[in-house]
Amino acid sequence: MRRRLGVALGLLVAVPATLALAAWLLLRGSLPQLDGERASGPGGPVAAVTLERDAAGVATVSGRSLDDVAWGLGFAHAQDRYFQMDLARRLAAGALAALVGAAAVPQ
């Protein structure tokens, strides 16, 4: 009897802790990359683009050409506002209720 109670208590603690850790890791993975380097694919900048952020998180983009800087600004914008852009895309496609539930059906 004590063994079953111990297993049940262990599961009662381990399962929510595991779910909380999984949720934290999933949400942490959606944060923007703020340091390091990233390679771009086709259609990216021709030369290197530098994206720096100050203490307040304001981005400063520098590059060789205006097209490269525009690409870097778009990259920073997408990092900062991905969630908002995803919600707007789902709203336009009529799929917002699939994400947030029945409250969004009238939208």
Side-chain angles (χ1 to χ4, degrees):
M1 180 71 176
R2 283 187 157 187
R3 184 169 185 237
R4 285 185 183 172
L5 185 61
V7 169
L9 186 60
L11 286 174
L12 191 62
V13 171
V15 169
T18 303
L19 290 175
L21 178 64
W24 182 80
L25 288 173
L26 184 67
L27 291 174
R28 179 79 178 144
S30 67
L31 293 176
Q33 176 185 346
L34 297 179
D35 57 356
E37 293 183 6
R38 179 171 274 206
S40 65
V46 176
V49 175
T50 303
L51 177 61
E52 297 175 351
R53 295 180 186 269
D54 64 9
V58 177
T60 302
V61 183
S62 58
R64 254 189 220 167
S65 69
L66 184 60
D67 289 339
D68 293 346
V69 172
W71 186 91
L73 181 62
F75 183 84
H77 186 74
Q79 276 190 327
D80 293 345
R81 301 186 70 185
Y82 176 75
F83 183 72
Q84 179 187 8
M85 291 188 303
D86 187 48
L87 284 181
R89 178 187 62 84
R90 288 176 189 265
L91 179 65
L96 189 59
L99 180 67
V100 297
V105 170
Q107 296 296 325

XYZ file of all heavy atoms in Angstrom:
766
model
N 0.817 -1.193 0.000
C 0.000 0.000 0.000
C 0.869 1.270 0.000
O 0.574 2.210 -0.733
C -0.913 -0.048 1.238
C -1.820 1.127 1.361
S -3.088 1.053 0.104
C -4.025 2.430 0.537
N 1.905 1.254 0.829
C 2.775 2.427 0.890
C 3.523 2.633 -0.430
O 3.771 3.756 -0.829
C 3.786 2.285 2.024
C 3.204 2.545 3.361
C 4.284 2.545 4.385
N 3.815 3.319 5.519
C 4.553 3.620 6.532
N 5.801 3.226 6.588
N 4.064 4.325 7.525
N 3.868 1.524 -1.058
C 4.583 1.625 -2.327
C 3.691 2.265 -3.386
O 4.137 3.120 -4.154
C 5.030 0.239 -2.778
C 5.856 0.304 -4.027
C 6.521 -1.031 -4.308
N 7.384 -0.886 -5.452
C 7.291 -1.613 -6.541
N 6.394 -2.567 -6.620
N 8.101 -1.414 -7.549
N 2.448 1.880 -3.456
C 1.513 2.463 -4.423
C 1.295 3.945 -4.146
O 1.212 4.755 -5.079
C 0.178 1.736 -4.373
C 0.223 0.393 -5.031
C -1.148 -0.211 -5.057
N -1.096 -1.542 -5.634
C -2.094 -2.380 -5.655
N -3.260 -2.026 -5.121
N -1.969 -3.557 -6.195
N 1.204 4.284 -2.869
C 1.040 5.691 -2.500
C 2.268 6.503 -2.905
O 2.149 7.622 -3.408
C 0.775 5.806 -0.999
C 0.466 7.206 -0.479
C -0.791 7.742 -1.137
C 0.317 7.184 1.023
N 3.449 5.915 -2.733
C 4.690 6.589 -3.133
C 4.769 6.784 -4.633
O 5.181 7.842 -5.120
N 4.366 5.759 -5.395
C 4.374 5.870 -6.854
C 3.368 6.922 -7.311
O 3.654 7.755 -8.181
C 4.087 4.489 -7.496
C 3.824 4.640 -8.986
C 5.237 3.540 -7.246
N 2.186 6.899 -6.717
C 1.153 7.875 -7.083
C 1.610 9.293 -6.762
O 1.416 10.219 -7.567
C -0.152 7.557 -6.362
N 2.217 9.486 -5.611
C 2.714 10.806 -5.231
C 3.841 11.245 -6.161
O 3.904 12.407 -6.572
C 3.181 10.796 -3.777
C 3.586 12.137 -3.193
C 2.414 13.100 -3.250
C 4.061 11.969 -1.771
N 4.714 10.302 -6.518
C 5.797 10.614 -7.456
C 5.266 11.034 -8.809
O 5.758 11.981 -9.422
N 4.250 10.326 -9.298
C 3.638 10.694 -10.569
C 2.922 12.032 -10.485
O 2.930 12.817 -11.432
C 2.664 9.609 -11.023
C 3.292 8.327 -11.554
C 2.215 7.295 -11.835
C 4.109 8.610 -12.799
N 2.310 12.279 -9.343
C 1.597 13.542 -9.139
C 2.554 14.736 -9.209
O 2.162 15.822 -9.629
C 0.869 13.521 -7.789
C -0.131 14.630 -7.529
C -1.264 14.566 -8.545
C -0.676 14.518 -6.129
N 3.785 14.522 -8.836
C 4.784 15.589 -8.903
C 5.504 15.580 -10.252
O 5.723 16.633 -10.856
C 5.800 15.436 -7.741
C 6.971 16.387 -7.922
C 5.119 15.678 -6.415
N 5.853 14.397 -10.752
C 6.677 14.296 -11.958
C 5.934 14.705 -13.224
O 6.514 15.362 -14.098
C 7.203 12.874 -12.106
N 4.678 14.343 -13.356
C 3.947 14.636 -14.588
C 3.761 16.148 -14.788
O 4.089 16.681 -15.856
C 2.603 13.878 -14.637
C 1.730 14.368 -15.772
C 2.857 12.381 -14.763
N 3.269 16.896 -13.788
C 3.156 18.352 -14.003
C 4.512 19.026 -14.201
O 4.631 19.963 -15.001
C 2.490 18.867 -12.730
C 1.799 17.690 -12.156
C 2.616 16.507 -12.536
N 5.534 18.530 -13.512
C 6.866 19.120 -13.694
C 7.373 18.879 -15.110
O 7.946 19.770 -15.746
C 7.842 18.542 -12.678
N 7.146 17.697 -15.640
C 7.564 17.379 -17.007
C 6.785 18.209 -18.021
O 7.360 18.733 -18.984
C 7.364 15.878 -17.296
O 8.104 15.127 -16.329
C 7.816 15.517 -18.684
N 5.486 18.361 -17.812
C 4.678 19.184 -18.712
C 5.103 20.650 -18.668
O 5.157 21.322 -19.699
C 3.199 19.048 -18.370
C 2.564 17.694 -18.686
C 1.132 17.653 -18.175
C 2.617 17.415 -20.169
N 5.402 21.157 -17.480
C 5.850 22.542 -17.348
C 7.192 22.742 -18.048
O 7.397 23.753 -18.733
C 5.953 22.924 -15.878
N 8.104 21.786 -17.910
C 9.395 21.885 -18.578
C 9.228 21.844 -20.093
O 9.851 22.626 -20.819
C 10.321 20.758 -18.114
C 11.694 20.713 -18.780
C 12.490 21.963 -18.437
C 12.437 19.462 -18.366
N 8.383 20.961 -20.584
C 8.140 20.863 -22.026
C 7.534 22.157 -22.565
O 7.927 22.644 -23.633
C 7.234 19.678 -22.327
N 6.580 22.728 -21.837
C 5.965 23.993 -22.262
C 6.993 25.117 -22.276
O 7.037 25.932 -23.207
C 4.793 24.345 -21.354
N 7.845 25.164 -21.260
C 8.872 26.204 -21.186
C 9.844 26.077 -22.357
O 10.192 27.074 -22.996
C 9.612 26.123 -19.859
C 10.646 27.195 -19.709
C 10.436 28.496 -19.357
C 12.046 27.075 -19.944
N 11.630 29.185 -19.346
C 12.627 28.327 -19.700
C 12.859 26.022 -20.323
C 13.985 28.545 -19.836
C 14.224 26.251 -20.458
C 14.776 27.505 -20.212
N 10.283 24.849 -22.652
C 11.211 24.642 -23.764
C 10.567 25.000 -25.097
O 11.211 25.585 -25.974
C 11.700 23.194 -23.782
C 12.674 22.811 -22.671
C 12.938 21.311 -22.692
C 13.970 23.585 -22.790
N 9.304 24.662 -25.259
C 8.593 24.989 -26.497
C 8.475 26.498 -26.675
O 8.729 27.033 -27.757
C 7.208 24.344 -26.489
C 6.372 24.516 -27.742
C 7.008 23.772 -28.901
C 4.968 24.013 -27.509
N 8.101 27.207 -25.625
C 7.974 28.665 -25.719
C 9.331 29.334 -25.851
O 9.477 30.331 -26.561
C 7.227 29.197 -24.490
C 5.760 28.814 -24.422
C 5.163 29.268 -23.099
C 4.989 29.386 -25.583
N 10.342 28.812 -25.189
C 11.690 29.375 -25.262
C 12.248 29.272 -26.681
O 12.971 30.149 -27.141
C 12.596 28.644 -24.261
C 14.002 29.100 -24.233
C 14.117 30.380 -23.451
N 15.508 30.768 -23.406
C 15.910 32.010 -23.445
N 15.041 32.978 -23.471
N 17.167 32.303 -23.423
N 11.893 28.202 -27.368
C 12.369 28.010 -28.730
C 11.792 28.999 -29.721
O 12.328 29.178 -30.813
N 10.697 29.665 -29.367
C 10.093 30.617 -30.288
C 10.653 32.029 -30.129
O 10.280 32.917 -30.890
C 8.573 30.660 -30.075
O 8.266 31.211 -28.815
N 11.544 32.234 -29.178
C 12.143 33.561 -28.998
C 13.160 33.845 -30.096
O 13.774 32.923 -30.640
C 12.829 33.648 -27.633
C 11.902 33.607 -26.427
C 12.712 33.609 -25.132
C 10.943 34.767 -26.440
N 13.363 35.109 -30.457
C 14.310 35.432 -31.522
C 15.752 35.179 -31.111
O 16.103 35.266 -29.938
C 14.065 36.921 -31.779
C 13.485 37.441 -30.522
C 12.702 36.303 -29.929
N 16.592 34.887 -32.091
C 18.026 34.730 -31.867
C 18.628 36.121 -31.765
O 18.546 36.915 -32.698
C 18.645 33.965 -33.034
C 20.142 33.846 -32.942
C 20.740 33.196 -34.177
O 20.039 32.609 -34.983
N 22.035 33.306 -34.323
N 19.243 36.427 -30.631
C 19.767 37.773 -30.409
C 21.284 37.865 -30.526
O 21.840 38.955 -30.487
C 19.331 38.287 -29.032
C 17.823 38.436 -28.847
C 17.513 38.914 -27.446
C 17.234 39.372 -29.880
N 21.973 36.741 -30.647
C 23.421 36.790 -30.820
C 23.853 35.660 -31.740
O 23.096 34.759 -32.041
C 24.138 36.706 -29.477
C 23.757 35.456 -28.687
O 22.895 34.700 -29.143
O 24.332 35.255 -27.614
N 25.077 35.757 -32.218
C 25.596 34.739 -33.115
C 25.433 35.138 -34.565
O 25.129 36.282 -34.896
N 25.644 34.167 -35.440
C 25.541 34.397 -36.873
C 24.486 33.479 -37.461
O 24.190 32.431 -36.906
C 26.881 34.120 -37.556
C 27.961 35.097 -37.173
C 29.253 34.842 -37.928
O 29.268 33.972 -38.830
O 30.241 35.515 -37.619
N 23.941 33.893 -38.577
C 22.933 33.091 -39.261
C 23.171 33.221 -40.766
O 23.344 34.316 -41.278
C 21.543 33.595 -38.899
C 20.446 32.825 -39.603
C 19.141 33.216 -39.044
N 18.916 32.370 -37.888
C 17.722 32.060 -37.434
N 16.661 32.543 -38.015
N 17.577 31.290 -36.395
N 23.161 32.088 -41.442
C 23.323 32.092 -42.901
C 21.959 32.291 -43.545
O 20.947 31.809 -43.046
C 23.938 30.776 -43.355
N 21.945 33.024 -44.646
C 20.684 33.244 -45.358
C 20.660 32.379 -46.607
O 21.696 31.990 -47.142
C 20.521 34.711 -45.723
O 21.525 35.080 -46.645
N 19.480 32.100 -47.056
C 19.309 31.289 -48.255
C 19.260 32.151 -49.498
O 19.623 33.335 -49.484
N 18.791 31.573 -50.589
C 18.657 32.347 -51.834
C 17.698 33.520 -51.636
O 16.716 33.415 -50.916
C 18.065 31.342 -52.822
C 18.151 30.009 -52.176
C 18.367 30.210 -50.725
N 18.007 34.629 -52.231
C 17.174 35.816 -52.086
C 17.563 36.656 -50.891
O 16.927 37.656 -50.600
N 18.600 36.241 -50.185
C 19.068 36.981 -49.022
C 19.995 38.108 -49.424
O 20.118 38.451 -50.604
N 20.687 38.693 -48.477
C 21.583 39.808 -48.781
C 22.805 39.349 -49.578
O 23.230 38.202 -49.483
C 21.989 40.317 -47.393
C 21.824 39.143 -46.502
C 20.678 38.360 -47.051
N 23.368 40.270 -50.355
C 24.555 39.979 -51.152
C 25.795 39.995 -50.270
O 26.649 39.118 -50.359
C 24.682 40.998 -52.308
C 25.960 40.779 -53.083
C 23.473 40.914 -53.215
N 25.897 40.991 -49.398
C 27.034 41.122 -48.485
C 26.549 40.915 -47.052
O 25.363 40.746 -46.797
C 27.657 42.509 -48.646
N 27.490 40.928 -46.120
C 27.158 40.717 -44.710
C 26.301 41.868 -44.179
O 26.505 43.026 -44.525
C 28.428 40.602 -43.889
N 25.332 41.515 -43.359
C 24.461 42.487 -42.705
C 24.655 42.332 -41.203
O 24.660 41.222 -40.687
C 22.985 42.248 -43.074
C 22.073 43.173 -42.299
C 22.777 42.428 -44.565
N 24.814 43.452 -40.508
C 24.987 43.423 -39.061
C 23.723 43.956 -38.403
O 23.231 45.027 -38.752
C 26.189 44.296 -38.641
O 27.342 43.833 -39.329
C 26.416 44.215 -37.151
N 23.214 43.192 -37.453
C 22.016 43.580 -36.708
C 22.400 43.654 -35.234
O 22.743 42.651 -34.628
C 20.906 42.552 -36.934
C 19.606 42.733 -36.184
C 18.952 44.058 -36.556
C 18.670 41.589 -36.490
N 22.391 44.852 -34.688
C 22.755 45.054 -33.282
C 21.562 45.616 -32.544
O 20.762 46.360 -33.099
C 23.937 46.012 -33.170
C 25.197 45.495 -33.819
C 26.323 46.513 -33.788
O 26.071 47.681 -33.420
O 27.448 46.149 -34.134
N 21.451 45.256 -31.284
C 20.363 45.767 -30.446
C 20.963 46.457 -29.228
O 21.910 45.963 -28.638
C 19.449 44.631 -30.010
C 18.723 43.995 -31.175
C 17.831 42.872 -30.711
N 17.243 42.167 -31.822
C 16.084 42.461 -32.385
N 15.374 43.462 -31.926
N 15.629 41.759 -33.396
N 20.378 47.589 -28.850
C 20.848 48.278 -27.655
C 20.184 47.679 -26.419
O 19.478 46.674 -26.497
C 20.618 49.790 -27.761
C 19.155 50.168 -27.844
O 18.289 49.290 -27.657
O 18.866 51.356 -28.085
N 20.398 48.297 -25.267
C 19.866 47.771 -24.007
C 18.340 47.742 -23.992
O 17.739 46.917 -23.311
C 20.382 48.602 -22.839
N 17.709 48.615 -24.750
C 16.245 48.649 -24.812
C 15.690 47.707 -25.877
O 14.482 47.594 -26.031
C 15.774 50.077 -25.094
N 16.567 47.041 -26.642
C 16.122 46.110 -27.667
C 15.888 46.746 -29.020
O 15.390 46.098 -29.928
N 16.260 48.009 -29.171
C 16.080 48.704 -30.449
C 17.149 48.233 -31.426
O 18.338 48.220 -31.113
C 16.164 50.233 -30.262
C 16.049 50.957 -31.587
C 15.089 50.699 -29.303
N 16.713 47.821 -32.613
C 17.628 47.263 -33.605
C 18.294 48.347 -34.430
O 17.674 49.337 -34.799
C 16.872 46.316 -34.526
N 19.592 48.138 -34.706
C 20.351 48.971 -35.625
C 20.902 48.037 -36.693
O 21.612 47.092 -36.388
C 21.511 49.684 -34.908
O 20.978 50.465 -33.844
C 22.283 50.557 -35.862
N 20.548 48.319 -37.946
C 20.946 47.454 -39.059
C 21.972 48.194 -39.900
O 21.791 49.364 -40.231
C 19.723 47.088 -39.928
C 20.121 46.136 -41.032
C 18.619 46.490 -39.085
N 23.062 47.499 -40.249
C 24.051 48.102 -41.146
C 24.476 47.067 -42.181
O 24.497 45.867 -41.906
C 25.264 48.613 -40.356
O 25.849 47.558 -39.622
N 24.775 47.558 -43.356
C 25.192 46.687 -44.451
C 25.775 47.515 -45.569
O 25.849 48.740 -45.493
N 26.201 46.828 -46.646
C 26.850 47.513 -47.761
C 25.894 48.271 -48.661
O 26.193 49.350 -49.134
C 27.597 46.494 -48.601
C 29.054 46.582 -48.413
C 29.784 45.728 -49.382
N 30.886 45.135 -48.642
C 31.610 44.165 -49.048
N 31.369 43.615 -50.208
N 32.590 43.715 -48.315
N 24.752 47.673 -48.926
C 23.824 48.320 -49.861
C 22.460 48.519 -49.192
O 22.165 47.918 -48.156
C 23.651 47.467 -51.123
O 22.940 46.286 -50.817
N 21.649 49.323 -49.811
C 20.311 49.584 -49.298
C 19.476 48.300 -49.305
O 18.704 48.052 -48.375
C 19.631 50.677 -50.131
C 18.259 51.126 -49.654
C 18.341 51.677 -48.234
C 17.685 52.162 -50.583
N 19.643 47.466 -50.327
C 18.901 46.201 -50.383
C 19.288 45.277 -49.229
O 18.435 44.612 -48.645
C 19.149 45.486 -51.717
C 18.479 46.191 -52.878
O 17.533 46.966 -52.641
O 18.903 45.954 -54.026
N 20.577 45.224 -48.904
C 21.027 44.388 -47.797
C 20.472 44.888 -46.465
O 20.031 44.104 -45.629
C 22.552 44.340 -47.731
C 23.169 43.613 -48.916
O 22.425 42.930 -49.644
O 24.397 43.725 -49.097
N 20.475 46.198 -46.273
C 19.940 46.780 -45.039
C 18.433 46.553 -44.952
O 17.899 46.233 -43.881
C 20.292 48.282 -44.946
C 19.583 48.937 -43.782
C 21.798 48.455 -44.811
N 17.734 46.661 -46.064
C 16.291 46.408 -46.074
C 16.004 44.952 -45.711
O 15.059 44.658 -44.972
C 15.702 46.753 -47.434
N 16.816 44.030 -46.199
C 16.652 42.621 -45.849
C 16.868 42.429 -44.351
O 16.106 41.727 -43.690
C 17.631 41.757 -46.644
C 17.408 40.306 -46.440
C 16.609 39.494 -47.182
C 17.981 39.491 -45.420
N 16.645 38.219 -46.683
C 17.478 38.184 -45.596
C 18.865 39.727 -44.378
C 17.834 37.128 -44.772
C 19.217 38.679 -43.545
C 18.701 37.396 -43.745
N 17.905 43.058 -43.799
C 18.181 42.949 -42.369
C 17.065 43.550 -41.525
O 16.699 42.996 -40.484
N 16.503 44.654 -41.966
C 15.392 45.266 -41.244
C 14.165 44.364 -41.271
O 13.472 44.196 -40.263
C 15.062 46.638 -41.838
C 13.937 47.404 -41.165
C 14.296 47.708 -39.718
C 13.639 48.673 -41.924
N 13.912 43.753 -42.414
C 12.803 42.803 -42.510
C 13.005 41.600 -41.607
O 12.061 41.103 -40.985
N 14.242 41.126 -41.512
C 14.566 40.004 -40.631
C 14.300 40.379 -39.172
O 13.680 39.623 -38.426
C 16.029 39.592 -40.825
C 16.437 38.417 -40.013
C 16.192 37.138 -40.476
C 17.069 38.579 -38.794
C 16.569 36.028 -39.731
C 17.447 37.492 -38.044
C 17.196 36.204 -38.509
N 14.754 41.566 -38.763
C 14.532 42.025 -37.379
C 13.041 42.199 -37.114
O 12.543 41.843 -36.039
C 15.276 43.337 -37.138
N 12.330 42.734 -38.079
C 10.890 42.946 -37.936
C 10.171 41.610 -37.769
O 9.289 41.467 -36.923
C 10.363 43.688 -39.163
C 8.934 44.082 -39.086
N 8.499 45.108 -38.289
C 7.841 43.573 -39.685
C 7.177 45.216 -38.412
N 6.759 44.287 -39.252
N 10.557 40.627 -38.567
C 9.930 39.305 -38.476
C 10.232 38.647 -37.131
O 9.371 37.984 -36.554
C 10.416 38.425 -39.623
N 11.440 38.817 -36.616
C 11.777 38.261 -35.300
C 10.932 38.901 -34.206
O 10.418 38.211 -33.333
C 13.250 38.508 -34.971
C 14.193 37.510 -35.539
C 15.582 37.692 -34.966
O 16.012 38.807 -34.655
N 16.289 36.603 -34.827
N 10.804 40.196 -34.254
C 10.126 40.918 -33.187
C 8.609 40.756 -33.225
O 7.954 40.784 -32.194
C 10.458 42.416 -33.250
C 11.906 42.706 -32.928
O 12.580 41.805 -32.391
O 12.370 43.814 -33.229
N 8.043 40.610 -34.401
C 6.584 40.625 -34.526
C 6.020 39.352 -35.118
O 4.927 39.356 -35.672
C 6.178 41.828 -35.369
C 6.677 43.126 -34.721
C 6.205 44.327 -35.408
N 4.779 44.482 -35.181
C 4.059 45.424 -35.765
N 4.615 46.256 -36.584
N 2.777 45.504 -35.542
N 6.723 38.230 -34.978
C 6.268 36.982 -35.577
C 4.894 36.572 -35.063
O 4.029 36.181 -35.845
C 7.277 35.860 -35.314
C 6.798 34.535 -35.842
C 6.818 34.267 -37.200
C 6.272 33.575 -34.990
C 6.347 33.078 -37.701
C 5.800 32.385 -35.482
C 5.843 32.130 -36.836
O 5.367 30.953 -37.316
N 4.682 36.650 -33.758
C 3.406 36.222 -33.185
C 2.251 37.045 -33.750
O 1.219 36.495 -34.135
C 3.443 36.319 -31.660
C 2.193 35.823 -31.005
C 1.912 34.470 -30.964
C 1.294 36.706 -30.440
C 0.757 34.000 -30.359
C 0.134 36.246 -29.839
C -0.132 34.894 -29.797
N 2.433 38.356 -33.842
C 1.381 39.218 -34.377
C 1.114 38.904 -35.848
O -0.043 38.833 -36.275
C 1.771 40.677 -34.223
C 0.719 41.624 -34.775
C 1.172 43.067 -34.780
O 2.320 43.363 -34.519
N 0.264 43.963 -35.097
N 2.171 38.680 -36.613
C 1.985 38.364 -38.028
C 1.299 37.007 -38.199
O 0.461 36.834 -39.091
C 3.327 38.372 -38.755
C 3.923 39.756 -38.876
S 5.395 39.860 -39.914
C 6.491 38.713 -39.160
N 1.620 36.040 -37.338
C 0.979 34.737 -37.414
C -0.508 34.841 -37.084
O -1.340 34.218 -37.750
C 1.673 33.762 -36.465
C 1.151 32.355 -36.618
O 1.040 31.877 -37.764
O 0.849 31.720 -35.584
N -0.858 35.639 -36.073
C -2.270 35.826 -35.748
C -3.019 36.512 -36.887
O -4.151 36.127 -37.212
C -2.421 36.643 -34.464
C -2.146 35.917 -33.166
C -2.359 36.864 -31.983
C -3.017 34.693 -33.015
N -2.407 37.506 -37.510
C -3.052 38.193 -38.626
C -3.244 37.239 -39.807
O -4.278 37.264 -40.475
C -2.221 39.402 -39.049
N -2.277 36.388 -40.067
C -2.393 35.412 -41.151
C -3.524 34.433 -40.870
O -4.334 34.134 -41.742
C -1.076 34.652 -41.300
C -1.096 33.567 -42.366
C 0.179 32.753 -42.347
N 0.399 32.053 -41.103
C -0.129 30.862 -40.798
N -0.929 30.263 -41.648
N 0.146 30.292 -39.647
N -3.605 33.940 -39.629
C -4.672 33.001 -39.268
C -6.043 33.680 -39.330
O -7.024 33.058 -39.739
C -4.434 32.440 -37.871
C -3.285 31.464 -37.810
C -3.055 31.020 -36.381
N -1.854 30.257 -36.237
C -1.812 28.930 -36.265
N -2.907 28.243 -36.431
N -0.664 28.303 -36.111
N -6.118 34.937 -38.931
C -7.377 35.664 -39.001
C -7.840 35.805 -40.447
O -9.005 35.565 -40.768
C -7.235 37.044 -38.350
C -8.470 37.930 -38.356
C -9.573 37.297 -37.511
C -8.131 39.303 -37.818
N -6.922 36.159 -41.334
C -7.268 36.317 -42.748
C -7.663 34.988 -43.383
O -8.519 34.948 -44.267
C -6.091 36.921 -43.506
N -7.072 33.891 -42.916
C -7.382 32.573 -43.485
C -8.620 31.948 -42.848
O -9.068 30.891 -43.279
C -6.187 31.646 -43.311
N -9.161 32.575 -41.810
C -10.319 32.019 -41.119
C -9.968 30.865 -40.206
O -10.814 30.022 -39.917
N -8.718 30.789 -39.762
C -8.258 29.674 -38.939
C -7.873 30.101 -37.530
O -7.199 29.353 -36.824
C -7.074 28.993 -39.615
N -8.309 31.271 -37.109
C -7.934 31.750 -35.779
C -8.580 30.917 -34.682
O -7.968 30.661 -33.639
C -8.322 33.221 -35.627
C -7.809 33.940 -34.390
C -6.295 33.912 -34.341
C -8.310 35.365 -34.370
N -9.799 30.444 -34.886
C -10.494 29.646 -33.872
C -9.780 28.330 -33.602
O -9.874 27.792 -32.504
C -11.933 29.384 -34.293
N -9.058 27.813 -34.584
C -8.305 26.578 -34.371
C -7.191 26.788 -33.353
O -6.780 25.852 -32.685
C -7.722 26.084 -35.682
N -6.726 28.019 -33.224
C -5.638 28.321 -32.289
C -6.162 28.733 -30.927
O -5.691 28.237 -29.906
C -4.747 29.427 -32.867
C -3.557 29.848 -32.011
C -2.557 28.715 -31.921
C -2.900 31.071 -32.610
N -7.148 29.617 -30.882
C -7.582 30.185 -29.606
C -8.921 29.656 -29.105
O -9.320 29.953 -27.997
C -7.615 31.728 -29.656
C -6.234 32.288 -29.886
C -8.588 32.221 -30.691
N -9.632 28.917 -29.920
C -10.878 28.312 -29.456
C -12.121 28.961 -30.049
O -12.067 29.826 -30.930
N -13.256 28.545 -29.512
C -14.547 28.928 -30.054
C -14.847 30.423 -29.919
O -15.682 30.952 -30.648
C -15.655 28.131 -29.370
N -14.179 31.108 -29.032
C -14.417 32.542 -28.861
C -14.074 33.335 -30.118
O -14.588 34.422 -30.328
C -13.623 33.064 -27.671
N -13.207 32.778 -30.974
C -12.794 33.493 -32.174
C -13.616 33.115 -33.407
O -13.341 33.631 -34.483
C -11.306 33.207 -32.456
N -14.609 32.271 -33.257
C -15.419 31.865 -34.415
C -16.099 33.060 -35.076
O -16.110 33.156 -36.303
C -16.440 30.766 -34.013
C -17.436 30.515 -35.122
C -15.706 29.489 -33.646
N -16.679 34.030 -34.343
C -17.308 35.176 -35.019
C -16.316 36.019 -35.835
O -16.709 36.709 -36.760
C -17.891 36.014 -33.876
C -18.031 35.062 -32.742
C -16.943 34.070 -32.904
N -15.045 35.950 -35.501
C -14.049 36.728 -36.243
C -13.894 36.186 -37.636
O -13.499 36.786 -38.541
C -12.705 36.702 -35.517
C -12.730 37.350 -34.168
C -13.031 38.822 -34.190
O -12.639 39.545 -35.091
N -13.765 39.283 -33.205
